[in-house]
Amino acid sequence: MELTPPKERMYALATAGAALLLLISGYFIGHEGGANVDAARAAGTSAGTAAGKKIGKKQGYAAGYKKGYRTSYKAAYEKAKRGE
């Protein structure tokens, strides 16, 4: 398909304009995305820390309960053996 010089110029300008528009919009999208990644990383760290503390407390409580239960059982057993 052959184009006349004015149509070639029009298509070239339209292509250049579209490329420039995509370049500028890509820059702004990329710039905003970088800020969102940093915010997401900070939010993820905060949420992970909170979840880790919660799990740690649950595990600590379970371990303490188990140890206390065993200790009290042993103490009661020893007391019964002594006849008190």
Side-chain angles (χ1 to χ4, degrees), residues 3 18 35 43 66 76 80:
L3 298 173
K66 188 174 181 180

Side-chain angles (χ1 to χ4, degrees), residues 3-22:
L3 298 173
T4 60
K7 284 204 176 203
E8 278 184 17
R9 196 174 306 124
M10 183 181 69
Y11 283 119
L13 286 174
T15 303
L20 184 62
L21 181 67
L22 287 173

Side-chain angles (χ1 to χ4, degrees), residues 9-58:
R9 196 174 306 124
M10 183 181 69
Y11 283 119
L13 286 174
T15 303
L20 184 62
L21 181 67
L22 287 173
L23 179 69
I24 292 171
S25 62
Y27 171 77
F28 285 120
I29 290 171
H31 183 69
E32 286 299 315
N36 290 341
V37 168
D38 292 339
R41 187 174 292 134
T45 300
S46 175
T49 303
K53 284 181 183 179
K54 190 174 185 180
I55 289 170
K57 284 180 184 178
K58 284 182 181 178

